[in-house]
Amino acid sequence: MTDRPVTPVIPRPQTPHRDLLQLEVLPDEAQMRADIEQLRQEKNAVILAHNYQRPEVQVIADFVGDSLGLSRQAARTDAEVIVFAGVHFMAETAAILNPHKTVLLPDLRAGCSLADTVTAQGVRDWKASNPGGLVVTYVNTTADVKAESDYCCTSGNAVQVVQSLPQDVPVLFAPDRFLAAHVIRETGRAMDVWDGACHVHEAIRPEDVQSQQAAYPDAELLIHPECGCSSRILSAIPELQLYSTEGMIHRAQASAAQEFIVVTETGMVTRLQHDVPGKTFIPVSRTACCEYMKMITLGNILESLQNLQPRVTVPEEIRTRALLPIERMLAIG
Ligand code: 13P
Ligand code: SF4
């Protein structure tokens, strides 16, 4: 028997994400911020930013948070205009909750590879072959997929949503198979699972986590359940908890650890540094970067406030059907 060749782990380039995906050189950031502030007041606008947004976008937002927190803010805002510094499905969710408000997504190309893995027709076919099943979809889906769903969830409340369902019905969970594996581990419940994943989280390798652990042996791991590496890391450390992006903030605040390896999209490091000052946050890999999230810039936020474009709207027939699973999601967790 011959020895198997050892595959060397080739380090990936370590480029800070602000340089990697900065699409434009900002001529005068201070002036842009002042112009955005003035327009925000004139237009009675609120800027909602996801935790993965660029640092300079997080700084000017009225609220920075995870998908669940952003949906809750969108549901309760009094502003007439919602500028979504996030991706398309998030702006759609805000539009579903606020049919009479203007919802702006400063760059309509800001999509989501995970949302692209499932279509409404795909869910209809899935339900037809699983009669009586309840469909639970991650909020990272299009409005017409939500319209086919019984419940939505985010990574922040997926476990509680599935726990709230009657025991005697099959559960169809879409589209993220890694989040589904986390829910199955936590609830012990069998589910039929869609075969989708986010390209950013799927690409984070156990080797990326291990090489940062070797460099920072005292650091605690903060791992998002969308990560492809989570099952292998959990088999080595079964007691490890996984956290939604907002859950990472609470854990970093509560933990006695001073250093953390942040195993999710790199923008999360910005939010953690802001909310938990004095502790050190190390990105698992600087290439774990969502190019869709980084399409939103100060420049296109300013333009969208000037023109009140591009808008995100949802046809009324889809909106009314998508509203129920979203309202159920907001009521749980
Ligand atoms: P949360 O903000 O719900 O943790 O989700 C992460 C994500 O990938 C959003 O696109
Ligand atoms: Fe979608 Fe992944 Fe980007 Fe989140 S990080 S918006 S799941 S592609």
Side-chain angles (χ1 to χ4, degrees), residues 52 87 89 111-114 140 198-201 226 290 292-293:
Y52 297 162
V87 294
F89 74 80
C112 170
S113 61
L114 176 56
N140 298 39
C198 151
H199 72 295
V200 178
H201 288 90
E226 277 180 34
C290 177
Y292 298 115
M293 285 282 180

Side-chain angles (χ1 to χ4, degrees), residues 71 74 82 84 86-99 103-105 108 110 115 139-147 311-315 318-319 322-323 326:
S71 302
I82 300 171
F84 228 106
V87 294
H88 195 270
F89 74 80
M90 296 177 175
E92 267 189 340
T93 305
I96 290 165
L97 288 162
N98 296 284
V103 178
L104 304 173
L105 181 64
L108 288 179
V139 74
N140 298 39
T141 46
T142 58
D144 47 352
V145 166
K146 290 185 175 77
R311 294 184 190 202
V312 172
T313 56
V314 176
I318 301 283
R319 191 192 74 78
L323 184 60
I326 292 173

Side-chain angles (χ1 to χ4, degrees), residues 208-223:
D208 297 323
V209 179
Q210 286 153 1
S211 74
Q212 294 297 53
Q213 282 183 298
Y216 301 92
D218 296 329
E220 182 176 323
L221 290 177
L222 297 174
I223 302 186

Side-chain angles (χ1 to χ4, degrees), residues 11-144:
R12 294 179 183 178
Q14 298 281 299
T15 313
H17 67 279
R18 190 167 170 170
D19 299 342
L20 184 69
L21 283 164
Q22 185 72 51
L23 302 180
E24 57 190 337
V25 176
L26 299 180
D28 186 346
E29 190 168 324
Q31 185 59 50
M32 264 187 189
R33 285 166 64 160
D35 292 347
I36 288 170
E37 184 48 40
Q38 191 183 337
L39 282 165
R40 179 189 357 225
Q41 287 176 25
E42 279 173 26
K43 310 263 167 130
N44 186 17
V46 66
I47 301 174
L48 304 182
H50 189 266
N51 290 325
Y52 297 162
Q53 288 290 296
R54 294 168 181 277
E56 67 275 20
V57 170
Q58 293 196 26
V59 164
I60 55 121
D62 294 285
F63 179 84
V64 184
D66 69 348
S67 307
L68 188 59
L70 292 171
S71 302
R72 292 210 161 110
Q73 289 295 324
R76 71 168 69 114
T77 184
D78 292 332
E80 288 165 60
V81 174
I82 300 171
V83 182
F84 228 106
V87 294
H88 195 270
F89 74 80
M90 296 177 175
E92 267 189 340
T93 305
I96 290 165
L97 288 162
N98 296 284
H100 304 301
K101 293 186 176 169
T102 301
V103 178
L104 304 173
L105 181 64
D107 188 332
L108 288 179
R109 297 172 304 162
C112 170
S113 61
L114 176 56
D116 288 345
T117 63
V118 59
T119 61
Q121 186 58 49
V123 177
R124 281 194 288 272
D125 293 346
W126 202 26
K127 287 198 284 192
S129 44
N130 293 276
L134 284 176
V135 175
V136 180
T137 52
Y138 198 22
V139 74
N140 298 39
T141 46
T142 58
D144 47 352

Side-chain angles (χ1 to χ4, degrees), residues 42 45 57 77 85 87 91 108 115 130 135-136 168 172-174 179 197 229 233 236 243-244 256 265 268 297 321-322:
E42 279 173 26
V57 170
T77 184
V87 294
L108 288 179
N130 293 276
V135 175
V136 180
D168 52 347
L172 312 182
F173 190 97
L179 178 65
C229 63
I233 302 287
Y243 299 100
S244 72
E265 209 274 350
M268 191 59 211
T297 63
R321 287 166 51 221

